[in-house]
Amino acid sequence: MNKVRVMGTTIIAALIGLFFLICVGWALYDYYGETSSDIEIKEAKPNDKNIPKEFTLVALGDSLTRGTGDESGKGYVGLVVEDLEGRFKSKPRVHNLGVKGQVSEELAKQVKQVEVKRQIQSADVIMITIGGNDLFQQGQTLYDYDFAVTSELQEQYLKNLNSVLKEITKSNDTATIFMIGLYNPFIELNEDYDTNKIVRDWNAVTADVIAEYENAVFVPTFDLFQLSVNEYLYSDKFHPNKEGYRLIAERVSSLIQWEGDAK
C-alpha cells in the first residue's frame, strides 16, 4: 500500500514539474521569440495612416501669390508648400495662377476660365491674395487720398470679391479657401493721416465678406508687418522680402489641417 502511495505521489510531482517547465519555456519564448524586425513592423503600421496620399493646392491672386520680392522665387506659396511637405511627407500638387498687377475685377474674370475652373475643381486648399492693387494703386490712392474715391474703389472690390468666391464655391464647395489680408507698406505716411486705419477698414470689410462663406477663412497679416514693416519689405518698399513672405507662410500653413495630420 505504501509503495502504491509513494508511486502516486511521485507521478503527481513529476506532472507538476513538467507543467512548470512548459510554462517557463512558453514565457521565455514569448519574451525572446519575436525578432526586432517583427516589432518594428508592428510599430510602423499605425504611422502610415497619418500620411495623406495626395492633395492639391491652388493659388490665385496678384504679385504676392507670384512671390515678387523674394529673391529665392518661392514667395509665401512656395514656403507653405515646403512646410506641408515636411508635415505630410508627401509633395502636394501646386497650381500657382497668380498674375502680377492683378486687381479683383481681373481675378473675377480669371476664375471663370475653363482651365482655371478645372484646376479649382481639383483643389483641396485655395489661397488668395487680392485687393492690394485695388486699394493702393502703386501708392497713388494714399498719396492723394480722397475718402469718396477710396469708398468707391472698396465698393467695386467687394462686389468683385463676392463674384470670385461664388464662382470658386460653384466649382468646388469642399475646398478650404484662405484669403490673405493686406499689410500696410505705407506706414511712413502716417505723419499726414492714418494709413493704418484705411488698411484696417479694408481688411475689416473683406473679413465680413469671407465670413459669409462656410469654407472660407480670412488670414490677417497686418499685425505681422505693423511694428517693423521696413524689415520685411523688398527694395521696392511695397512687396514683402523673403522674411516677410515667411511670416505670411507660417501663419497660413498653421491653419491648413489634413485628416490624419499628426502634428
Side-chain angles (χ1 to χ4, degrees), residues 126-146:
I126 298 171
M127 303 188 300
I128 305 174
T129 59
I130 200 68
N133 294 318
D134 294 70
L135 171 60
F136 298 128
Q137 299 190 5
Q138 299 181 334
Q140 202 60 42
T141 304
L142 299 183
Y143 281 111
D144 300 322
Y145 180 69
D146 184 303

Side-chain angles (χ1 to χ4, degrees), residues 96-165:
N96 191 328
L97 307 178
V99 179
K100 293 181 181 179
Q102 184 160 246
V103 294
S104 60
E105 183 179 3
E106 294 168 329
L107 179 59
K109 294 176 182 177
Q110 184 188 25
V111 294
K112 293 180 180 179
Q113 296 172 7
V114 175
E115 180 58 23
V116 174
K117 289 174 69 173
R118 186 186 68 79
Q119 293 178 346
I120 288 173
Q121 287 170 356
S122 69
D124 297 294
V125 169
I126 298 171
M127 303 188 300
I128 305 174
T129 59
I130 200 68
N133 294 318
D134 294 70
L135 171 60
F136 298 128
Q137 299 190 5
Q138 299 181 334
Q140 202 60 42
T141 304
L142 299 183
Y143 281 111
D144 300 322
Y145 180 69
D146 184 303
F147 177 78
V149 171
T150 304
S151 296
E152 187 177 342
L153 290 173
Q154 186 181 96
E155 183 180 350
Q156 188 58 44
Y157 159 73
L158 294 176
K159 179 181 178 181
N160 293 330
L161 180 59
N162 261 308
S163 177
V164 168
L165 294 170

Side-chain angles (χ1 to χ4, degrees), residues 70-85:
D70 182 356
E71 60 274 15
S72 72
K74 296 176 182 176
Y76 86 90
V77 175
L79 293 171
V80 166
V81 170
E82 281 187 355
D83 182 72
L84 297 182
E85 285 186 55

